Amino acid sequence: MLGGLAKFLKYSIGLIVIPIALFALYTWATLTWVYSSGERAGYVQKLSLKGWVCKTYEGELVLVSMPGTQAEKFFFSVRDEKVAQRINETVGKRVRLIYEEHLGVPSSCFAETPHFVSDVELLDTPQIEMIQKNELQ
């Protein structure tokens, strides 16, 4: 009788532990494996901290290719608070966002979009460009 109970407990634990371990492995793989990476340039329109339990920074970058054309929005997520602070300082200015795309992330707890921004560069720097030109002359 005790042998049957021990078998049942092993089977029950296996039914619980194995799916949880597989789900954790899948989540780890989707968060570390990069499907694509790239850069987008435009104007950061919005950046906000969202989420009930898992808080992530979610933002919009307005891409303007030519004057007079319809603006396209690029939705992105930021998981690093320091990068989010740097992006917040550039709201309304032309920037380049460096991002990685992670497909198949199982929950919006990690981010609402598959595009995770890892760095930001300010492109609107006319004063710095003028100083650099004057130094070259």
Side-chain angles (χ1 to χ4, degrees):
M1 186 150 146
L2 288 176
L5 182 61
K7 239 184 198 182
F8 175 75
L9 285 175
K10 283 182 185 179
Y11 181 72
S12 297
I13 290 172
L15 279 176
I16 294 170
V17 171
I18 291 173
I20 291 173
L22 289 174
F23 180 74
L25 181 65
Y26 174 77
T27 302
W28 173 82
T30 59
L31 290 173
T32 56
W33 182 67
V34 177
Y35 174 72
S36 71
S37 60
E39 301 175 355
R40 297 275 177 118
Y43 297 89
V44 175
Q45 180 173 310
K46 179 175 92 170
L47 184 69
S48 59
L49 187 62
K50 287 185 171 183
W52 292 102
V53 176
C54 307
K55 302 277 188 186
T56 58
Y57 290 92
E58 305 297 328
E60 296 177 5
L61 181 75
V62 178
L63 308 168
V64 181
S65 57
M66 293 181 61
T69 61
Q70 180 78 14
E72 181 184 343
K73 289 183 183 177
F74 174 68
F75 298 97
F76 62 90
S77 300
V78 182
R79 298 180 67 205
D80 184 357
E81 192 170 339
K82 291 179 183 177
V83 174
Q85 288 173 350
R86 289 180 43 214
I87 292 172
N88 233 355
E89 294 169 1
T90 65
V91 169
K93 299 176 183 172
R94 192 160 184 263
V95 296
R96 175 185 301 129
L97 297 180
I98 293 105
Y99 70 93
E100 295 176 339
E101 186 176 7
H102 296 263
L103 294 180
V105 178
S107 169
S108 64
C109 189
F110 299 103
E112 289 185 6
T113 71
H115 303 104
F116 296 171
V117 171
S118 59
D119 200 7
V120 60
E121 294 176 7
L122 184 62
L123 297 177
D124 272 348
T125 54
Q127 295 168 342
I128 293 173
E129 289 174 7
M130 289 177 66
I131 291 169
Q132 288 174 346
K133 285 180 185 177
N134 290 337
E135 287 176 0
L136 292 174
Q137 293 176 352

Short mmCIF file of all heavy atoms in Angstrom, two decimals, residues 77-127:
data_model
loop_
_atom_site.label_atom_id
_atom_site.label_comp_id
_atom_site.label_asym_id
_atom_site.label_seq_id
_atom_site.Cartn_x
_atom_site.Cartn_y
_atom_site.Cartn_z
N SER A 77 9.50 48.61 -25.73
CA SER A 77 9.54 48.38 -24.29
C SER A 77 10.96 48.58 -23.81
O SER A 77 11.92 48.34 -24.53
CB SER A 77 9.11 46.96 -23.96
OG SER A 77 7.79 46.72 -24.41
N VAL A 78 11.08 49.05 -22.56
CA VAL A 78 12.38 49.25 -21.94
C VAL A 78 12.37 48.51 -20.61
O VAL A 78 11.50 48.76 -19.78
CB VAL A 78 12.68 50.74 -21.72
CG1 VAL A 78 14.06 50.92 -21.11
CG2 VAL A 78 12.55 51.53 -23.01
N ARG A 79 13.32 47.64 -20.41
CA ARG A 79 13.38 46.87 -19.17
C ARG A 79 14.42 47.43 -18.21
O ARG A 79 14.40 47.14 -17.02
CB ARG A 79 13.68 45.41 -19.48
CG ARG A 79 12.57 44.79 -20.34
CD ARG A 79 12.82 43.36 -20.68
NE ARG A 79 12.74 42.56 -19.47
CZ ARG A 79 13.35 41.40 -19.32
NH1 ARG A 79 14.07 40.90 -20.29
NH2 ARG A 79 13.24 40.72 -18.20
N ASP A 80 15.34 48.27 -18.69
CA ASP A 80 16.40 48.84 -17.87
C ASP A 80 16.01 50.27 -17.46
O ASP A 80 15.76 51.12 -18.31
CB ASP A 80 17.71 48.85 -18.65
CG ASP A 80 18.90 49.34 -17.84
OD1 ASP A 80 18.72 49.72 -16.67
OD2 ASP A 80 20.01 49.32 -18.39
N GLU A 81 15.97 50.52 -16.16
CA GLU A 81 15.52 51.82 -15.67
C GLU A 81 16.46 52.96 -16.08
O GLU A 81 16.02 54.07 -16.36
CB GLU A 81 15.40 51.79 -14.14
CG GLU A 81 14.69 52.99 -13.59
CD GLU A 81 14.35 52.85 -12.12
OE1 GLU A 81 14.30 51.72 -11.61
OE2 GLU A 81 14.16 53.89 -11.48
N LYS A 82 17.76 52.70 -16.17
CA LYS A 82 18.71 53.74 -16.58
C LYS A 82 18.49 54.15 -18.03
O LYS A 82 18.56 55.33 -18.36
CB LYS A 82 20.15 53.25 -16.37
CG LYS A 82 20.53 53.12 -14.91
CD LYS A 82 21.94 52.61 -14.75
CE LYS A 82 22.25 52.43 -13.27
NZ LYS A 82 23.57 51.88 -13.05
N VAL A 83 18.21 53.19 -18.89
CA VAL A 83 17.92 53.50 -20.30
C VAL A 83 16.62 54.28 -20.38
O VAL A 83 16.51 55.25 -21.14
CB VAL A 83 17.86 52.22 -21.15
CG1 VAL A 83 17.41 52.52 -22.57
CG2 VAL A 83 19.20 51.50 -21.15
N ALA A 84 15.63 53.92 -19.58
CA ALA A 84 14.35 54.63 -19.57
C ALA A 84 14.54 56.08 -19.13
O ALA A 84 13.91 56.98 -19.71
CB ALA A 84 13.36 53.92 -18.65
N GLN A 85 15.39 56.32 -18.16
CA GLN A 85 15.66 57.70 -17.72
C GLN A 85 16.31 58.50 -18.83
O GLN A 85 15.96 59.66 -19.06
CB GLN A 85 16.55 57.69 -16.48
CG GLN A 85 15.85 57.24 -15.22
CD GLN A 85 16.81 57.10 -14.05
OE1 GLN A 85 18.03 57.16 -14.19
NE2 GLN A 85 16.24 56.89 -12.86
N ARG A 86 17.25 57.89 -19.56
CA ARG A 86 17.90 58.58 -20.67
C ARG A 86 16.90 58.88 -21.78
O ARG A 86 16.96 59.95 -22.40
CB ARG A 86 19.07 57.75 -21.19
CG ARG A 86 20.22 57.74 -20.20
CD ARG A 86 21.41 56.93 -20.64
NE ARG A 86 21.78 57.10 -22.03
CZ ARG A 86 22.27 56.13 -22.79
NH1 ARG A 86 22.45 54.93 -22.29
NH2 ARG A 86 22.58 56.35 -24.03
N ILE A 87 15.99 57.95 -22.06
CA ILE A 87 14.96 58.19 -23.08
C ILE A 87 14.04 59.30 -22.63
O ILE A 87 13.66 60.17 -23.41
CB ILE A 87 14.18 56.90 -23.38
CG1 ILE A 87 15.07 55.87 -24.08
CG2 ILE A 87 12.95 57.20 -24.25
CD1 ILE A 87 14.45 54.52 -24.25
N ASN A 88 13.67 59.31 -21.35
CA ASN A 88 12.78 60.34 -20.82
C ASN A 88 13.38 61.73 -20.98
O ASN A 88 12.66 62.70 -21.19
CB ASN A 88 12.49 60.06 -19.34
CG ASN A 88 11.02 60.04 -19.05
OD1 ASN A 88 10.19 60.32 -19.92
ND2 ASN A 88 10.69 59.71 -17.83
N GLU A 89 14.68 61.86 -20.88
CA GLU A 89 15.37 63.13 -21.05
C GLU A 89 15.32 63.62 -22.49
O GLU A 89 15.54 64.80 -22.75
CB GLU A 89 16.81 63.03 -20.57
CG GLU A 89 16.94 62.79 -19.08
CD GLU A 89 18.36 62.42 -18.66
OE1 GLU A 89 19.26 62.35 -19.54
OE2 GLU A 89 18.55 62.17 -17.46
N THR A 90 15.06 62.71 -23.43
CA THR A 90 15.07 63.08 -24.85
C THR A 90 13.67 63.16 -25.46
O THR A 90 13.56 63.27 -26.68
CB THR A 90 15.90 62.06 -25.65
OG1 THR A 90 15.24 60.79 -25.59
CG2 THR A 90 17.31 61.94 -25.12
N VAL A 91 12.63 63.10 -24.65
CA VAL A 91 11.27 63.15 -25.19
C VAL A 91 11.10 64.45 -25.97
O VAL A 91 11.44 65.52 -25.49
CB VAL A 91 10.22 63.04 -24.06
CG1 VAL A 91 8.83 63.35 -24.58
CG2 VAL A 91 10.24 61.65 -23.46
N GLY A 92 10.60 64.33 -27.20
CA GLY A 92 10.40 65.49 -28.06
C GLY A 92 11.59 65.83 -28.93
O GLY A 92 11.51 66.71 -29.78
N LYS A 93 12.71 65.13 -28.76
CA LYS A 93 13.91 65.37 -29.57
C LYS A 93 14.13 64.18 -30.48
O LYS A 93 13.66 63.09 -30.23
CB LYS A 93 15.13 65.57 -28.66
CG LYS A 93 14.99 66.76 -27.74
CD LYS A 93 16.16 66.85 -26.81
CE LYS A 93 15.95 68.01 -25.85
NZ LYS A 93 16.97 68.03 -24.81
N ARG A 94 14.86 64.41 -31.56
CA ARG A 94 15.13 63.33 -32.51
C ARG A 94 16.20 62.40 -31.92
O ARG A 94 17.27 62.85 -31.51
CB ARG A 94 15.60 63.89 -33.84
CG ARG A 94 15.63 62.86 -34.94
CD ARG A 94 15.62 63.52 -36.31
NE ARG A 94 15.54 62.51 -37.32
CZ ARG A 94 16.60 62.03 -37.97
NH1 ARG A 94 17.80 62.49 -37.73
NH2 ARG A 94 16.45 61.10 -38.88
N VAL A 95 15.87 61.11 -31.88
CA VAL A 95 16.77 60.12 -31.29
C VAL A 95 16.88 58.88 -32.16
O VAL A 95 16.08 58.67 -33.08
CB VAL A 95 16.28 59.68 -29.88
CG1 VAL A 95 16.29 60.84 -28.92
CG2 VAL A 95 14.92 59.04 -29.95
N ARG A 96 17.88 58.08 -31.84
CA ARG A 96 18.05 56.75 -32.44
C ARG A 96 17.92 55.75 -31.30
O ARG A 96 18.65 55.82 -30.32
CB ARG A 96 19.41 56.63 -33.09
CG ARG A 96 19.69 55.23 -33.62
CD ARG A 96 21.09 55.06 -34.16
NE ARG A 96 21.35 55.99 -35.24
CZ ARG A 96 22.41 56.80 -35.31
NH1 ARG A 96 23.32 56.78 -34.36
NH2 ARG A 96 22.58 57.61 -36.32
N LEU A 97 16.98 54.82 -31.45
CA LEU A 97 16.80 53.76 -30.46
C LEU A 97 17.44 52.49 -30.99
O LEU A 97 17.17 52.08 -32.12
CB LEU A 97 15.32 53.51 -30.18
CG LEU A 97 14.52 54.65 -29.56
CD1 LEU A 97 13.08 54.22 -29.35
CD2 LEU A 97 15.13 55.12 -28.27
N ILE A 98 18.27 51.87 -30.18
CA ILE A 98 18.87 50.58 -30.53
C ILE A 98 18.06 49.51 -29.79
O ILE A 98 17.88 49.61 -28.58
CB ILE A 98 20.35 50.53 -30.13
CG1 ILE A 98 21.15 51.52 -31.00
CG2 ILE A 98 20.92 49.14 -30.33
CD1 ILE A 98 21.54 52.74 -30.32
N TYR A 99 17.56 48.54 -30.53
CA TYR A 99 16.65 47.56 -29.93
C TYR A 99 16.96 46.15 -30.38
O TYR A 99 17.68 45.92 -31.36
CB TYR A 99 15.20 47.90 -30.27
CG TYR A 99 14.86 47.67 -31.73
CD1 TYR A 99 14.33 46.46 -32.16
CD2 TYR A 99 15.08 48.65 -32.69
CE1 TYR A 99 14.03 46.24 -33.49
CE2 TYR A 99 14.77 48.44 -34.01
CZ TYR A 99 14.26 47.24 -34.40
OH TYR A 99 13.97 47.01 -35.73
N GLU A 100 16.40 45.20 -29.62
CA GLU A 100 16.44 43.78 -29.96
C GLU A 100 15.02 43.27 -29.97
O GLU A 100 14.22 43.65 -29.11
CB GLU A 100 17.26 43.00 -28.93
CG GLU A 100 18.71 43.37 -28.89
CD GLU A 100 19.46 42.63 -27.81
OE1 GLU A 100 18.82 42.15 -26.84
OE2 GLU A 100 20.70 42.55 -27.91
N GLU A 101 14.70 42.41 -30.93
CA GLU A 101 13.36 41.84 -31.02
C GLU A 101 13.39 40.42 -30.48
O GLU A 101 14.19 39.58 -30.90
CB GLU A 101 12.87 41.84 -32.46
CG GLU A 101 11.44 41.39 -32.59
CD GLU A 101 10.93 41.50 -34.02
OE1 GLU A 101 11.72 41.81 -34.94
OE2 GLU A 101 9.74 41.26 -34.22
N HIS A 102 12.50 40.16 -29.52
CA HIS A 102 12.38 38.84 -28.91
C HIS A 102 10.98 38.31 -29.21
O HIS A 102 10.00 38.84 -28.70
CB HIS A 102 12.58 38.92 -27.39
CG HIS A 102 13.94 39.35 -26.99
ND1 HIS A 102 14.92 38.45 -26.64
CD2 HIS A 102 14.52 40.58 -26.90
CE1 HIS A 102 16.03 39.11 -26.34
NE2 HIS A 102 15.80 40.40 -26.48
N LEU A 103 10.90 37.28 -30.03
CA LEU A 103 9.60 36.71 -30.40
C LEU A 103 9.19 35.61 -29.43
O LEU A 103 10.04 34.89 -28.90
CB LEU A 103 9.65 36.15 -31.81
CG LEU A 103 9.84 37.16 -32.94
CD1 LEU A 103 9.86 36.45 -34.28
CD2 LEU A 103 8.77 38.22 -32.92
N GLY A 104 7.89 35.49 -29.21
CA GLY A 104 7.36 34.38 -28.45
C GLY A 104 7.42 34.51 -26.95
O GLY A 104 7.26 33.52 -26.25
N VAL A 105 7.68 35.71 -26.43
CA VAL A 105 7.72 35.88 -24.97
C VAL A 105 6.32 35.58 -24.45
O VAL A 105 5.34 36.17 -24.91
CB VAL A 105 8.18 37.30 -24.59
CG1 VAL A 105 8.17 37.49 -23.09
CG2 VAL A 105 9.57 37.58 -25.16
N PRO A 106 6.19 34.67 -23.50
CA PRO A 106 4.88 34.12 -23.15
C PRO A 106 3.94 35.04 -22.36
O PRO A 106 2.77 34.73 -22.23
CB PRO A 106 5.22 32.89 -22.31
CG PRO A 106 6.54 33.18 -21.74
CD PRO A 106 7.26 34.02 -22.76
N SER A 107 4.42 36.15 -21.84
CA SER A 107 3.54 36.96 -21.00
C SER A 107 3.85 38.43 -21.21
O SER A 107 4.98 38.81 -21.52
CB SER A 107 3.78 36.59 -19.53
OG SER A 107 3.16 37.50 -18.68
N SER A 108 2.84 39.26 -21.02
CA SER A 108 3.07 40.71 -21.09
C SER A 108 3.72 41.21 -19.81
O SER A 108 3.99 42.40 -19.68
CB SER A 108 1.75 41.44 -21.36
OG SER A 108 0.87 41.23 -20.27
N CYS A 109 3.98 40.33 -18.88
CA CYS A 109 4.65 40.69 -17.63
C CYS A 109 6.09 41.14 -17.91
O CYS A 109 6.61 42.00 -17.23
CB CYS A 109 4.65 39.50 -16.68
SG CYS A 109 5.21 39.90 -15.02
N PHE A 110 6.73 40.59 -18.94
CA PHE A 110 8.10 40.95 -19.27
C PHE A 110 8.15 42.21 -20.12
O PHE A 110 9.11 42.95 -20.06
CB PHE A 110 8.79 39.80 -19.99
CG PHE A 110 8.87 38.56 -19.15
CD1 PHE A 110 8.01 37.51 -19.38
CD2 PHE A 110 9.77 38.47 -18.11
CE1 PHE A 110 8.07 36.36 -18.60
CE2 PHE A 110 9.83 37.34 -17.32
CZ PHE A 110 8.98 36.27 -17.56
N ALA A 111 7.14 42.45 -20.94
CA ALA A 111 7.03 43.64 -21.78
C ALA A 111 5.77 43.49 -22.63
O ALA A 111 5.33 42.38 -22.91
CB ALA A 111 8.24 43.79 -22.68
N GLU A 112 5.22 44.63 -23.05
CA GLU A 112 4.02 44.58 -23.88
C GLU A 112 4.35 44.42 -25.35
O GLU A 112 3.49 44.06 -26.13
CB GLU A 112 3.18 45.84 -23.65
CG GLU A 112 2.52 45.87 -22.30
CD GLU A 112 1.59 47.07 -22.13
OE1 GLU A 112 1.37 47.82 -23.09
OE2 GLU A 112 1.09 47.25 -21.01
N THR A 113 5.58 44.72 -25.75
CA THR A 113 5.98 44.60 -27.14
C THR A 113 7.17 43.64 -27.25
O THR A 113 7.86 43.41 -26.24
CB THR A 113 6.40 45.96 -27.73
OG1 THR A 113 7.65 46.35 -27.16
CG2 THR A 113 5.35 47.03 -27.46
N PRO A 114 7.44 43.13 -28.43
CA PRO A 114 8.62 42.27 -28.59
C PRO A 114 9.92 43.06 -28.80
O PRO A 114 10.98 42.48 -28.87
CB PRO A 114 8.28 41.44 -29.83
CG PRO A 114 7.37 42.30 -30.62
CD PRO A 114 6.58 43.09 -29.62
N HIS A 115 9.82 44.40 -28.90
CA HIS A 115 10.99 45.24 -29.16
C HIS A 115 11.53 45.81 -27.85
O HIS A 115 10.90 46.68 -27.25
CB HIS A 115 10.63 46.37 -30.13
CG HIS A 115 10.06 45.88 -31.41
ND1 HIS A 115 8.72 45.93 -31.70
CD2 HIS A 115 10.65 45.28 -32.47
CE1 HIS A 115 8.51 45.41 -32.88
NE2 HIS A 115 9.67 45.00 -33.36
N PHE A 116 12.70 45.32 -27.43
CA PHE A 116 13.31 45.75 -26.18
C PHE A 116 14.44 46.73 -26.50
O PHE A 116 15.44 46.36 -27.10
CB PHE A 116 13.90 44.57 -25.40
CG PHE A 116 12.88 43.56 -24.94
CD1 PHE A 116 13.29 42.36 -24.40
CD2 PHE A 116 11.52 43.79 -25.02
CE1 PHE A 116 12.39 41.41 -23.96
CE2 PHE A 116 10.59 42.85 -24.58
CZ PHE A 116 11.04 41.66 -24.05
N VAL A 117 14.28 47.98 -26.08
CA VAL A 117 15.30 49.00 -26.33
C VAL A 117 16.43 48.84 -25.32
O VAL A 117 16.20 48.75 -24.12
CB VAL A 117 14.69 50.42 -26.26
CG1 VAL A 117 15.76 51.48 -26.32
CG2 VAL A 117 13.69 50.62 -27.39
N SER A 118 17.67 48.83 -25.84
CA SER A 118 18.84 48.67 -24.98
C SER A 118 19.69 49.93 -24.89
O SER A 118 20.51 50.05 -23.99
CB SER A 118 19.70 47.51 -25.49
OG SER A 118 20.10 47.75 -26.82
N ASP A 119 19.50 50.88 -25.83
CA ASP A 119 20.29 52.10 -25.80
C ASP A 119 19.58 53.19 -26.60
O ASP A 119 18.72 52.90 -27.44
CB ASP A 119 21.68 51.84 -26.39
CG ASP A 119 22.69 52.89 -25.97
OD1 ASP A 119 22.37 53.76 -25.12
OD2 ASP A 119 23.82 52.86 -26.49
N VAL A 120 19.96 54.43 -26.33
CA VAL A 120 19.38 55.58 -27.03
C VAL A 120 20.51 56.56 -27.33
O VAL A 120 21.43 56.73 -26.54
CB VAL A 120 18.26 56.25 -26.20
CG1 VAL A 120 18.79 56.72 -24.86
CG2 VAL A 120 17.61 57.39 -26.96
N GLU A 121 20.43 57.19 -28.52
CA GLU A 121 21.40 58.21 -28.91
C GLU A 121 20.63 59.43 -29.36
O GLU A 121 19.69 59.33 -30.17
CB GLU A 121 22.28 57.72 -30.06
CG GLU A 121 23.17 56.57 -29.70
CD GLU A 121 23.95 56.04 -30.90
OE1 GLU A 121 23.89 56.68 -31.98
OE2 GLU A 121 24.60 55.00 -30.75
N LEU A 122 21.03 60.59 -28.89
CA LEU A 122 20.40 61.85 -29.27
C LEU A 122 20.95 62.28 -30.62
O LEU A 122 22.15 62.34 -30.82
CB LEU A 122 20.69 62.91 -28.19
CG LEU A 122 20.03 64.26 -28.38
CD1 LEU A 122 18.51 64.14 -28.36
CD2 LEU A 122 20.49 65.22 -27.30
N LEU A 123 20.05 62.58 -31.56
CA LEU A 123 20.46 63.01 -32.90
C LEU A 123 20.30 64.51 -33.09
O LEU A 123 20.95 65.09 -33.95
CB LEU A 123 19.64 62.27 -33.97
CG LEU A 123 19.83 60.76 -34.01
CD1 LEU A 123 18.92 60.16 -35.07
CD2 LEU A 123 21.27 60.40 -34.28
N ASP A 124 19.44 65.16 -32.33
CA ASP A 124 19.24 66.61 -32.40
C ASP A 124 20.28 67.32 -31.55
O ASP A 124 20.06 67.62 -30.39
CB ASP A 124 17.84 66.98 -31.89
CG ASP A 124 16.80 66.95 -32.97
OD1 ASP A 124 17.19 66.86 -34.14
OD2 ASP A 124 15.62 67.00 -32.63
N THR A 125 21.43 67.56 -32.13
CA THR A 125 22.49 68.24 -31.39
C THR A 125 23.12 69.34 -32.24
O THR A 125 24.30 69.30 -32.53
CB THR A 125 23.56 67.23 -30.95
OG1 THR A 125 24.01 66.53 -32.12
CG2 THR A 125 23.04 66.26 -29.92
N PRO A 126 22.34 70.34 -32.66
CA PRO A 126 22.93 71.38 -33.51
C PRO A 126 24.02 72.18 -32.82
O PRO A 126 25.00 72.56 -33.45
CB PRO A 126 21.73 72.28 -33.86
CG PRO A 126 20.69 71.97 -32.85
CD PRO A 126 20.95 70.57 -32.39
N GLN A 127 23.91 72.40 -31.51
CA GLN A 127 24.94 73.16 -30.80
C GLN A 127 26.24 72.38 -30.77
O GLN A 127 27.32 72.94 -30.98
CB GLN A 127 24.48 73.46 -29.38
CG GLN A 127 23.28 74.39 -29.35
CD GLN A 127 22.65 74.47 -27.98
OE1 GLN A 127 22.87 73.61 -27.14
NE2 GLN A 127 21.85 75.50 -27.76
#
